[in-house]
Amino acid sequence: MSSIVLGVSGGVAAYKAAFVLRAFTEAGHDVRVVPTPGALHFVGAATFEALSGNPVTTDVWSDVPEVAHVRIGQHADLVVVAPATADLLARAAMGRADDLLTATLLTASCPVVFVPAMHTEMWLHPATQDNVATLRRRGAVVLPPAVGRLTGPDSGPGRLPEPADIAALAMVVLKHGADSLRPDLSGRRVVISAGGTREPLDPVRYLGNRSSGKQGWALARVAAARGADVVLVAANVDLPVPFGVRVVPVGTAEELRTAMLAEAVEADVVVMSAAVADFRPEVAAATKLKKGSAGEPSAVPLVRNPDVLAELVTKRTAGQLVVGFAAETGDEDADVLTHARDKLARKGCDLLVVNDVSGGQVFGRADNAVIVLGADGSATEVPRDSKDAVAAGIWTAVAARLGDPPSR
Ligand code: CTP
């Protein structure tokens, strides 16, 4: 159990802090909520007290013998400020201590995550951008805001990411430190395929696979958190869209190929984490196949699908990195790594993320463990952890190979 301080500042998105709090307590952590006085205009202290089981105060004049303004920050393992308003970011960047939350930020030596939420104009204002740069320079994580509907009818960057995204990313920082979400993908365009393709037999049946899409989703969420502009080509995945990510839904391998080739043109990094069917039924019946009818099939002839990864490699643009995935088992011919190195060479990609699936059920699991093989002969082990933490390890291996950021 870790001690998490959840700072809440005064924006309408403060109501979502209750769900972030819930996610932390359900993961077994002790949470102390420190709202600003403004936050309590939106959500009452009783809500935070009831959900956290801890007292809630906003100023430094309560619990004076406890010296709360020093003690809370000193004892925290992680501070998450969600939502962080423009004013809160400004006060934190200035090093002010005019309420309990900003005092706590000054006494905390643990990782700090700011999750901004405000109107687009306030987010884009040079003053706010300078404050964000200052806080990042000092080692804090400042997540980019989600793009979407704001308080009124307007929309744009400034929306608070969904509580599940905030909690998943905060857990990565809790375990691996602020460096795991450093903004090293800022200005990069990333295209990721995820999920599993479905190849129709008739209008109601398909050949598919059991890929859940969760690792691809985590890759997208972490890339967005690290500043990338992310497109997720999603084959049959029914998960909430991660913040800051544009989703292109596809069904078949052919649709996935078309979408990936189109999106890859502008990308700095292309990641093929989808499970693409190698074969499809030669013919997809236009009407439902009926038992006992003249059209009842006795066998399903299959034809090869295109190898999307191999095609992306041949069409790779200058400086672009292409990352493949492989689920491998060892066999009598060779071990997992030998098979994986052969595949890396065969596919010609820059990196291959290898999943050792010998003797185990991996589909749909909440955790994962991979080895990232480089065309340069390198091998980076990313130990078993949450899929978000594994995604952070994969992006660190990718970012190390990226050249200078493009000047667009
Ligand atoms: N892949 C692809 N197009 C396909 C099949 C696979 O782009 N038709 C991509 C996957 O997204 C993954 C990588 O290729 O990134 C490796 O997938 P895998 O199924 O292991 O490769 P195969 O070439 O099908 O190898 P195997 O013969 O071992 O199945």
Side-chain angles (χ1 to χ4, degrees), residues 91-333:
R91 290 191 292 127
M94 285 279 285
R96 296 190 60 150
D98 41 7
D99 57 22
L100 186 58
L101 177 54
T102 44
T104 298
L105 288 168
L106 282 182
T107 53
S109 53
C110 61
V112 178
V113 180
F114 293 95
V115 193
M118 63 199 73
H119 275 87
T120 302
E121 294 82 351
M122 296 174 96
W123 170 250
L124 294 177
H125 195 284
T128 304
Q129 291 300 309
D130 281 354
N131 292 330
V132 168
T134 300
L135 293 167
R136 284 184 176 153
R137 188 166 38 76
R138 291 184 193 143
V141 174
V142 185
L143 294 183
V147 179
R149 177 92 191 268
L150 301 170
T151 314
D154 45 347
S155 77
R159 195 179 145 84
L160 193 78
E162 292 312 307
D165 285 335
I166 297 171
L169 292 167
M171 298 299 177
V172 175
V173 176
L174 177 65
K175 193 156 172 206
H176 299 280
D179 209 35
S180 58
L181 292 190
R182 59 183 171 278
D184 55 356
L185 298 174
S186 288
R188 307 289 190 172
R189 290 188 182 147
V190 165
V191 180
I192 302 164
S193 71
T197 62
R198 291 179 184 173
E199 311 301 322
L201 278 159
D202 70 12
V204 294
R205 302 184 182 94
Y206 58 82
L207 293 183
N209 62 69
R210 300 202 313 214
S211 173
S212 67
K214 285 182 185 165
Q215 186 60 67
W217 244 239
L219 282 164
R221 177 162 47 223
V222 172
R226 282 165 75 152
D229 190 352
V230 185
V231 178
L232 192 47
V233 174
N236 309 297
V237 185
D238 188 20
L239 292 169
V241 175
F243 79 105
V245 170
R246 178 162 65 84
V247 172
V248 179
V250 294
T252 63
E254 194 50 58
E255 288 167 13
L256 184 139
R257 170 179 172 269
T258 304
M260 286 304 288
L261 291 177
E263 297 293 344
V265 173
E266 298 270 295
D268 300 300
V269 186
V270 179
V271 182
M272 277 297 298
S273 73
V276 185
D278 284 322
F279 310 99
R280 65 174 183 277
E282 190 173 22
V283 180
T287 54
K288 190 179 170 192
L289 297 169
K290 294 277 195 194
K291 290 194 293 289
S293 70
E296 179 175 332
S298 57
V300 180
L302 300 174
V303 292
R304 279 272 191 107
N305 268 331
D307 187 326
V308 183
L309 178 60
E311 197 170 347
L312 287 164
V313 166
T314 62
K315 296 187 171 149
R316 179 169 38 196
T317 58
Q320 185 179 73
L321 288 181
V322 180
V323 183
F325 267 64
E328 297 288 345
T329 64
D331 55 27
E332 58 280 4
D333 294 331

